[in-house]
Short mmCIF file of all heavy atoms in Angstrom, two decimals:
data_model
loop_
_atom_site.label_atom_id
_atom_site.label_comp_id
_atom_site.label_asym_id
_atom_site.label_seq_id
_atom_site.Cartn_x
_atom_site.Cartn_y
_atom_site.Cartn_z
N SER A 5 -6.04 -3.56 4.61
CA SER A 5 -6.44 -3.41 6.01
C SER A 5 -5.78 -4.48 6.87
O SER A 5 -6.21 -5.64 6.85
CB SER A 5 -7.96 -3.50 6.12
OG SER A 5 -8.36 -3.38 7.45
N MET A 6 -4.74 -4.09 7.60
CA MET A 6 -4.03 -5.02 8.48
C MET A 6 -3.77 -4.32 9.81
O MET A 6 -3.58 -3.11 9.84
CB MET A 6 -2.68 -5.44 7.86
CG MET A 6 -2.79 -6.20 6.58
SD MET A 6 -1.18 -6.75 5.96
CE MET A 6 -0.44 -5.20 5.43
N PRO A 7 -3.73 -5.08 10.89
CA PRO A 7 -3.37 -4.47 12.18
C PRO A 7 -1.90 -4.09 12.19
O PRO A 7 -1.10 -4.65 11.42
CB PRO A 7 -3.66 -5.59 13.19
CG PRO A 7 -3.62 -6.85 12.40
CD PRO A 7 -4.02 -6.50 11.00
N GLY A 8 -1.55 -3.15 13.03
CA GLY A 8 -0.16 -2.72 13.10
C GLY A 8 0.14 -1.76 11.96
O GLY A 8 -0.30 -0.62 11.97
N MET A 9 0.84 -2.23 10.97
CA MET A 9 1.21 -1.41 9.81
C MET A 9 0.16 -1.62 8.72
O MET A 9 -0.01 -2.73 8.22
CB MET A 9 2.60 -1.82 9.32
CG MET A 9 3.11 -1.00 8.16
SD MET A 9 4.75 -1.57 7.60
CE MET A 9 5.79 -0.49 8.54
N SER A 10 -0.53 -0.55 8.35
CA SER A 10 -1.58 -0.66 7.32
C SER A 10 -0.98 -0.88 5.94
O SER A 10 0.21 -0.66 5.72
CB SER A 10 -2.43 0.62 7.29
OG SER A 10 -1.68 1.68 6.71
N GLY A 11 -1.82 -1.27 5.02
CA GLY A 11 -1.38 -1.47 3.64
C GLY A 11 -0.80 -0.20 3.02
O GLY A 11 0.19 -0.27 2.30
N THR A 12 -1.40 0.95 3.31
CA THR A 12 -0.86 2.20 2.76
C THR A 12 0.52 2.52 3.35
O THR A 12 1.38 3.03 2.65
CB THR A 12 -1.83 3.38 2.95
OG1 THR A 12 -2.26 3.44 4.31
CG2 THR A 12 -3.03 3.26 2.05
N GLU A 13 0.71 2.19 4.63
CA GLU A 13 2.03 2.39 5.24
C GLU A 13 3.06 1.43 4.63
O GLU A 13 4.20 1.83 4.36
CB GLU A 13 1.96 2.19 6.75
CG GLU A 13 1.16 3.26 7.46
CD GLU A 13 0.89 2.93 8.92
OE1 GLU A 13 0.55 1.76 9.24
OE2 GLU A 13 1.02 3.85 9.75
N VAL A 14 2.65 0.18 4.40
CA VAL A 14 3.55 -0.78 3.77
C VAL A 14 3.89 -0.32 2.35
O VAL A 14 5.06 -0.34 1.95
CB VAL A 14 2.91 -2.19 3.71
CG1 VAL A 14 3.77 -3.16 2.91
CG2 VAL A 14 2.66 -2.72 5.11
N LEU A 15 2.89 0.14 1.61
CA LEU A 15 3.12 0.64 0.26
C LEU A 15 4.16 1.77 0.26
O LEU A 15 5.09 1.77 -0.55
CB LEU A 15 1.81 1.12 -0.36
CG LEU A 15 1.90 1.72 -1.76
CD1 LEU A 15 2.42 0.71 -2.77
CD2 LEU A 15 0.55 2.27 -2.18
N ALA A 16 4.02 2.70 1.18
CA ALA A 16 4.97 3.81 1.27
C ALA A 16 6.39 3.30 1.55
O ALA A 16 7.36 3.78 0.95
CB ALA A 16 4.54 4.80 2.34
N GLN A 17 6.51 2.32 2.45
CA GLN A 17 7.82 1.75 2.76
C GLN A 17 8.42 1.05 1.54
O GLN A 17 9.60 1.20 1.24
CB GLN A 17 7.69 0.73 3.90
CG GLN A 17 7.41 1.34 5.24
CD GLN A 17 8.67 1.86 5.90
OE1 GLN A 17 9.75 1.31 5.72
NE2 GLN A 17 8.53 2.91 6.67
N LEU A 18 7.58 0.26 0.84
CA LEU A 18 8.07 -0.45 -0.35
C LEU A 18 8.52 0.54 -1.42
O LEU A 18 9.56 0.35 -2.05
CB LEU A 18 6.99 -1.39 -0.90
CG LEU A 18 6.56 -2.55 -0.01
CD1 LEU A 18 5.43 -3.32 -0.66
CD2 LEU A 18 7.73 -3.45 0.34
N GLN A 19 7.73 1.60 -1.62
CA GLN A 19 8.08 2.60 -2.63
C GLN A 19 9.33 3.37 -2.25
O GLN A 19 10.06 3.82 -3.12
CB GLN A 19 6.91 3.54 -2.88
CG GLN A 19 5.77 2.86 -3.61
CD GLN A 19 4.53 3.73 -3.74
OE1 GLN A 19 4.22 4.54 -2.86
NE2 GLN A 19 3.80 3.54 -4.83
N SER A 20 9.60 3.51 -0.95
CA SER A 20 10.85 4.18 -0.54
C SER A 20 12.05 3.28 -0.82
O SER A 20 13.14 3.77 -1.10
CB SER A 20 10.79 4.60 0.93
OG SER A 20 10.92 3.49 1.78
N LEU A 21 11.84 1.96 -0.74
CA LEU A 21 12.92 1.02 -1.05
C LEU A 21 13.11 0.88 -2.56
O LEU A 21 14.24 0.75 -3.04
CB LEU A 21 12.61 -0.36 -0.46
CG LEU A 21 12.58 -0.45 1.05
CD1 LEU A 21 12.01 -1.79 1.50
CD2 LEU A 21 13.98 -0.26 1.62
N GLU A 22 12.00 0.87 -3.30
CA GLU A 22 12.04 0.71 -4.77
C GLU A 22 10.86 1.47 -5.38
O GLU A 22 9.74 0.96 -5.38
CB GLU A 22 11.96 -0.78 -5.15
CG GLU A 22 11.90 -1.04 -6.63
CD GLU A 22 13.03 -0.38 -7.39
OE1 GLU A 22 14.21 -0.71 -7.13
OE2 GLU A 22 12.75 0.48 -8.25
N PRO A 23 11.11 2.69 -5.88
CA PRO A 23 10.02 3.52 -6.40
C PRO A 23 9.19 2.84 -7.50
O PRO A 23 8.02 3.14 -7.65
CB PRO A 23 10.73 4.76 -6.93
CG PRO A 23 12.00 4.83 -6.14
CD PRO A 23 12.39 3.39 -5.89
N SER A 24 9.79 1.92 -8.24
CA SER A 24 9.05 1.29 -9.34
C SER A 24 8.46 -0.07 -8.95
O SER A 24 8.06 -0.84 -9.83
CB SER A 24 9.97 1.13 -10.55
OG SER A 24 11.03 0.25 -10.25
N VAL A 25 8.35 -0.36 -7.65
CA VAL A 25 7.79 -1.63 -7.20
C VAL A 25 6.37 -1.80 -7.78
O VAL A 25 5.59 -0.86 -7.81
CB VAL A 25 7.77 -1.72 -5.65
CG1 VAL A 25 6.90 -0.64 -5.03
CG2 VAL A 25 7.33 -3.10 -5.19
N ARG A 26 6.09 -3.01 -8.27
CA ARG A 26 4.74 -3.31 -8.78
C ARG A 26 3.92 -3.89 -7.65
O ARG A 26 4.29 -4.89 -7.05
CB ARG A 26 4.81 -4.31 -9.94
CG ARG A 26 5.26 -3.67 -11.23
CD ARG A 26 5.15 -4.66 -12.34
NE ARG A 26 6.48 -5.24 -12.52
CZ ARG A 26 6.85 -5.98 -13.55
NH1 ARG A 26 5.99 -6.27 -14.49
NH2 ARG A 26 8.07 -6.45 -13.65
N VAL A 27 2.77 -3.23 -7.39
CA VAL A 27 1.92 -3.61 -6.27
C VAL A 27 0.47 -3.66 -6.74
O VAL A 27 0.04 -2.80 -7.52
CB VAL A 27 2.03 -2.59 -5.11
CG1 VAL A 27 1.07 -2.94 -3.98
CG2 VAL A 27 3.46 -2.52 -4.60
N ALA A 28 -0.26 -4.65 -6.26
CA ALA A 28 -1.72 -4.69 -6.40
C ALA A 28 -2.29 -4.79 -4.98
O ALA A 28 -1.78 -5.54 -4.16
CB ALA A 28 -2.16 -5.88 -7.24
N ILE A 29 -3.31 -4.01 -4.72
CA ILE A 29 -3.94 -3.98 -3.41
C ILE A 29 -5.10 -4.96 -3.39
O ILE A 29 -5.95 -4.96 -4.29
CB ILE A 29 -4.46 -2.55 -3.09
CG1 ILE A 29 -3.31 -1.54 -3.05
CG2 ILE A 29 -5.26 -2.54 -1.79
CD1 ILE A 29 -2.36 -1.67 -1.90
N LEU A 30 -5.14 -5.77 -2.34
CA LEU A 30 -6.26 -6.68 -2.08
C LEU A 30 -7.10 -6.04 -1.00
O LEU A 30 -6.59 -5.72 0.08
CB LEU A 30 -5.74 -8.03 -1.57
CG LEU A 30 -4.64 -8.71 -2.37
CD1 LEU A 30 -4.08 -9.89 -1.61
CD2 LEU A 30 -5.18 -9.15 -3.71
N THR A 31 -8.39 -5.83 -1.27
CA THR A 31 -9.20 -5.16 -0.27
C THR A 31 -10.64 -5.61 -0.31
O THR A 31 -11.15 -5.97 -1.37
CB THR A 31 -9.13 -3.62 -0.43
OG1 THR A 31 -9.86 -3.00 0.61
CG2 THR A 31 -9.65 -3.17 -1.78
N GLY A 32 -11.25 -5.59 0.83
CA GLY A 32 -12.68 -5.85 0.94
C GLY A 32 -13.45 -4.55 1.06
O GLY A 32 -14.65 -4.54 1.21
N PHE A 33 -12.73 -3.43 0.98
CA PHE A 33 -13.33 -2.11 1.17
C PHE A 33 -13.17 -1.28 -0.09
O PHE A 33 -12.28 -1.49 -0.89
CB PHE A 33 -12.64 -1.37 2.33
CG PHE A 33 -12.65 -2.14 3.61
CD1 PHE A 33 -11.54 -2.87 4.02
CD2 PHE A 33 -13.79 -2.16 4.40
CE1 PHE A 33 -11.56 -3.60 5.20
CE2 PHE A 33 -13.81 -2.89 5.58
CZ PHE A 33 -12.69 -3.61 5.98
N ILE A 34 -14.04 -0.30 -0.23
CA ILE A 34 -13.88 0.71 -1.28
C ILE A 34 -13.10 1.84 -0.64
O ILE A 34 -13.47 2.37 0.39
CB ILE A 34 -15.26 1.24 -1.76
CG1 ILE A 34 -16.12 0.09 -2.27
CG2 ILE A 34 -15.07 2.31 -2.82
CD1 ILE A 34 -15.56 -0.68 -3.44
N ASP A 35 -11.99 2.19 -1.25
CA ASP A 35 -11.12 3.21 -0.66
C ASP A 35 -10.73 4.20 -1.74
O ASP A 35 -10.20 3.82 -2.77
CB ASP A 35 -9.87 2.55 -0.08
CG ASP A 35 -9.10 3.47 0.85
OD1 ASP A 35 -9.04 4.69 0.58
OD2 ASP A 35 -8.56 2.97 1.85
N ASP A 36 -11.01 5.48 -1.50
CA ASP A 36 -10.63 6.50 -2.48
C ASP A 36 -9.41 7.28 -2.00
O ASP A 36 -9.26 8.45 -2.28
CB ASP A 36 -11.81 7.42 -2.79
CG ASP A 36 -12.32 8.16 -1.57
OD1 ASP A 36 -11.85 7.90 -0.45
OD2 ASP A 36 -13.21 9.01 -1.74
N ASN A 37 -8.52 6.59 -1.30
CA ASN A 37 -7.29 7.18 -0.80
C ASN A 37 -6.44 7.65 -1.98
O ASN A 37 -6.11 6.86 -2.86
CB ASN A 37 -6.54 6.12 0.02
CG ASN A 37 -5.30 6.65 0.67
OD1 ASN A 37 -4.63 7.52 0.14
ND2 ASN A 37 -4.97 6.09 1.81
N PRO A 38 -6.07 8.94 -2.04
CA PRO A 38 -5.27 9.44 -3.16
C PRO A 38 -3.92 8.72 -3.30
O PRO A 38 -3.38 8.64 -4.40
CB PRO A 38 -5.05 10.92 -2.83
CG PRO A 38 -5.94 11.24 -1.69
CD PRO A 38 -6.41 9.97 -1.08
N ALA A 39 -3.39 8.17 -2.21
CA ALA A 39 -2.11 7.45 -2.29
C ALA A 39 -2.24 6.19 -3.14
O ALA A 39 -1.25 5.64 -3.59
CB ALA A 39 -1.63 7.09 -0.88
#
């Protein structure tokens, strides 16, 4: 959860640059986003 570009939008951008990018999400929320 960030202003401007959300974490899911950043994740999509990173995956478009490198499909095998290793990412861990830091969150204070419970999110069942399929992405």
